[in-house]
PDB file of all heavy atoms in Angstrom:
ATOM      1  N   TRP A 325      19.165  13.988  19.087  1.00 92.00           N
ATOM      2  CA  TRP A 325      19.420  15.332  18.577  1.00 92.00           C
ATOM      3  C   TRP A 325      18.850  15.467  17.169  1.00 92.00           C
ATOM      4  O   TRP A 325      18.592  14.473  16.494  1.00 92.00           O
ATOM      5  CB  TRP A 325      20.904  15.699  18.629  1.00 92.00           C
ATOM      6  CG  TRP A 325      21.827  14.934  17.740  1.00 92.00           C
ATOM      7  CD1 TRP A 325      22.242  15.268  16.493  1.00 92.00           C
ATOM      8  CD2 TRP A 325      22.501  13.706  18.053  1.00 92.00           C
ATOM      9  NE1 TRP A 325      23.131  14.343  15.995  1.00 92.00           N
ATOM     10  CE2 TRP A 325      23.309  13.372  16.936  1.00 92.00           C
ATOM     11  CE3 TRP A 325      22.519  12.861  19.157  1.00 92.00           C
ATOM     12  CZ2 TRP A 325      24.094  12.224  16.904  1.00 92.00           C
ATOM     13  CZ3 TRP A 325      23.302  11.720  19.123  1.00 92.00           C
ATOM     14  CH2 TRP A 325      24.076  11.429  18.009  1.00 92.00           C
ATOM     15  N   HIS A 326      18.634  16.704  16.770  1.00 94.00           N
ATOM     16  CA  HIS A 326      17.971  16.997  15.499  1.00 94.00           C
ATOM     17  C   HIS A 326      18.881  17.846  14.615  1.00 94.00           C
ATOM     18  O   HIS A 326      19.681  18.636  15.117  1.00 94.00           O
ATOM     19  CB  HIS A 326      16.652  17.739  15.729  1.00 94.00           C
ATOM     20  CG  HIS A 326      15.727  17.058  16.683  1.00 94.00           C
ATOM     21  ND1 HIS A 326      15.757  17.286  18.038  1.00 94.00           N
ATOM     22  CD2 HIS A 326      14.743  16.144  16.483  1.00 94.00           C
ATOM     23  CE1 HIS A 326      14.843  16.555  18.637  1.00 94.00           C
ATOM     24  NE2 HIS A 326      14.208  15.861  17.718  1.00 94.00           N
ATOM     25  N   TYR A 327      18.704  17.670  13.311  1.00 94.00           N
ATOM     26  CA  TYR A 327      19.395  18.558  12.372  1.00 94.00           C
ATOM     27  C   TYR A 327      18.740  19.931  12.386  1.00 94.00           C
ATOM     28  O   TYR A 327      19.407  20.953  12.518  1.00 94.00           O
ATOM     29  CB  TYR A 327      19.361  17.970  10.964  1.00 94.00           C
ATOM     30  CG  TYR A 327      20.071  18.841   9.949  1.00 94.00           C
ATOM     31  CD1 TYR A 327      21.429  18.691   9.704  1.00 94.00           C
ATOM     32  CD2 TYR A 327      19.373  19.824   9.240  1.00 94.00           C
ATOM     33  CE1 TYR A 327      22.079  19.495   8.786  1.00 94.00           C
ATOM     34  CE2 TYR A 327      20.019  20.632   8.322  1.00 94.00           C
ATOM     35  CZ  TYR A 327      21.375  20.462   8.101  1.00 94.00           C
ATOM     36  OH  TYR A 327      22.010  21.270   7.204  1.00 94.00           O
ATOM     37  N   PHE A 328      17.428  19.941  12.273  1.00 93.00           N
ATOM     38  CA  PHE A 328      16.679  21.202  12.316  1.00 93.00           C
ATOM     39  C   PHE A 328      15.272  20.892  12.804  1.00 93.00           C
ATOM     40  O   PHE A 328      14.552  20.107  12.197  1.00 93.00           O
ATOM     41  CB  PHE A 328      16.626  21.851  10.925  1.00 93.00           C
ATOM     42  CG  PHE A 328      15.837  23.125  10.883  1.00 93.00           C
ATOM     43  CD1 PHE A 328      16.295  24.264  11.526  1.00 93.00           C
ATOM     44  CD2 PHE A 328      14.622  23.190  10.210  1.00 93.00           C
ATOM     45  CE1 PHE A 328      15.568  25.437  11.498  1.00 93.00           C
ATOM     46  CE2 PHE A 328      13.887  24.358  10.173  1.00 93.00           C
ATOM     47  CZ  PHE A 328      14.364  25.494  10.827  1.00 93.00           C
ATOM     48  N   LYS A 329      14.886  21.511  13.906  1.00 91.00           N
ATOM     49  CA  LYS A 329      13.568  21.261  14.490  1.00 91.00           C
ATOM     50  C   LYS A 329      12.802  22.584  14.549  1.00 91.00           C
ATOM     51  O   LYS A 329      13.245  23.535  15.185  1.00 91.00           O
ATOM     52  CB  LYS A 329      13.715  20.676  15.899  1.00 91.00           C
ATOM     53  CG  LYS A 329      12.428  20.105  16.488  1.00 91.00           C
ATOM     54  CD  LYS A 329      12.745  19.345  17.780  1.00 91.00           C
ATOM     55  CE  LYS A 329      11.502  18.625  18.306  1.00 91.00           C
ATOM     56  NZ  LYS A 329      10.470  19.558  18.786  1.00 91.00           N
ATOM     57  N   HIS A 330      11.671  22.620  13.884  1.00 90.00           N
ATOM     58  CA  HIS A 330      10.908  23.862  13.790  1.00 90.00           C
ATOM     59  C   HIS A 330       9.492  23.729  14.319  1.00 90.00           C
ATOM     60  O   HIS A 330       8.757  24.718  14.365  1.00 90.00           O
ATOM     61  CB  HIS A 330      10.852  24.330  12.329  1.00 90.00           C
ATOM     62  CG  HIS A 330      10.207  23.326  11.410  1.00 90.00           C
ATOM     63  ND1 HIS A 330       8.865  23.272  11.203  1.00 90.00           N
ATOM     64  CD2 HIS A 330      10.743  22.331  10.663  1.00 90.00           C
ATOM     65  CE1 HIS A 330       8.584  22.283  10.363  1.00 90.00           C
ATOM     66  NE2 HIS A 330       9.704  21.698  10.021  1.00 90.00           N
ATOM     67  N   ASP A 331       9.092  22.521  14.722  1.00 89.00           N
ATOM     68  CA  ASP A 331       7.736  22.310  15.207  1.00 89.00           C
ATOM     69  C   ASP A 331       7.811  21.779  16.628  1.00 89.00           C
ATOM     70  O   ASP A 331       8.267  20.647  16.859  1.00 89.00           O
ATOM     71  CB  ASP A 331       6.992  21.321  14.300  1.00 89.00           C
ATOM     72  CG  ASP A 331       5.523  21.193  14.671  1.00 89.00           C
ATOM     73  OD1 ASP A 331       5.081  21.894  15.610  1.00 89.00           O
ATOM     74  OD2 ASP A 331       4.814  20.397  14.023  1.00 89.00           O
ATOM     75  N   ILE A 332       7.369  22.586  17.602  1.00 88.00           N
ATOM     76  CA  ILE A 332       7.459  22.161  18.996  1.00 88.00           C
ATOM     77  C   ILE A 332       6.458  21.058  19.314  1.00 88.00           C
ATOM     78  O   ILE A 332       6.583  20.388  20.342  1.00 88.00           O
ATOM     79  CB  ILE A 332       7.234  23.348  19.951  1.00 88.00           C
ATOM     80  CG1 ILE A 332       5.830  23.935  19.756  1.00 88.00           C
ATOM     81  CG2 ILE A 332       8.297  24.409  19.754  1.00 88.00           C
ATOM     82  CD1 ILE A 332       5.485  25.011  20.757  1.00 88.00           C
ATOM     83  N   LYS A 333       5.479  20.844  18.449  1.00 89.00           N
ATOM     84  CA  LYS A 333       4.478  19.807  18.685  1.00 89.00           C
ATOM     85  C   LYS A 333       4.902  18.461  18.123  1.00 89.00           C
ATOM     86  O   LYS A 333       4.135  17.499  18.188  1.00 89.00           O
ATOM     87  CB  LYS A 333       3.135  20.230  18.087  1.00 89.00           C
ATOM     88  CG  LYS A 333       2.562  21.516  18.662  1.00 89.00           C
ATOM     89  CD  LYS A 333       1.174  21.793  18.145  1.00 89.00           C
ATOM     90  CE  LYS A 333       1.160  21.982  16.640  1.00 89.00           C
ATOM     91  NZ  LYS A 333       1.940  23.173  16.229  1.00 89.00           N
ATOM     92  N   SER A 334       6.088  18.377  17.560  1.00 91.00           N
ATOM     93  CA  SER A 334       6.590  17.128  16.989  1.00 91.00           C
ATOM     94  C   SER A 334       7.875  16.716  17.692  1.00 91.00           C
ATOM     95  O   SER A 334       8.692  17.558  18.055  1.00 91.00           O
ATOM     96  CB  SER A 334       6.840  17.289  15.483  1.00 91.00           C
ATOM     97  OG  SER A 334       7.434  16.122  14.951  1.00 91.00           O
ATOM     98  N   ALA A 335       8.036  15.422  17.868  1.00 93.00           N
ATOM     99  CA  ALA A 335       9.250  14.902  18.489  1.00 93.00           C
ATOM    100  C   ALA A 335      10.375  14.731  17.483  1.00 93.00           C
ATOM    101  O   ALA A 335      11.493  14.380  17.879  1.00 93.00           O
ATOM    102  CB  ALA A 335       8.957  13.562  19.169  1.00 93.00           C
ATOM    103  N   TYR A 336      10.109  14.969  16.208  1.00 95.00           N
ATOM    104  CA  TYR A 336      11.083  14.717  15.155  1.00 95.00           C
ATOM    105  C   TYR A 336      11.429  16.009  14.420  1.00 95.00           C
ATOM    106  O   TYR A 336      10.656  16.964  14.414  1.00 95.00           O
ATOM    107  CB  TYR A 336      10.533  13.673  14.172  1.00 95.00           C
ATOM    108  CG  TYR A 336      10.142  12.379  14.837  1.00 95.00           C
ATOM    109  CD1 TYR A 336       8.825  12.154  15.248  1.00 95.00           C
ATOM    110  CD2 TYR A 336      11.081  11.390  15.080  1.00 95.00           C
ATOM    111  CE1 TYR A 336       8.463  10.971  15.871  1.00 95.00           C
ATOM    112  CE2 TYR A 336      10.730  10.201  15.695  1.00 95.00           C
ATOM    113  CZ  TYR A 336       9.415  10.007  16.088  1.00 95.00           C
ATOM    114  OH  TYR A 336       9.072   8.839  16.722  1.00 95.00           O
TER     115      TYR A 336
END
Side-chain angles (χ1 to χ4, degrees):
W325 67 94
H326 307 89
Y327 180 89
F328 178 68
K329 192 170 187 292
H330 60 87
D331 187 2
I332 62 174
K333 300 186 298 296
S334 175
Y336 304 94

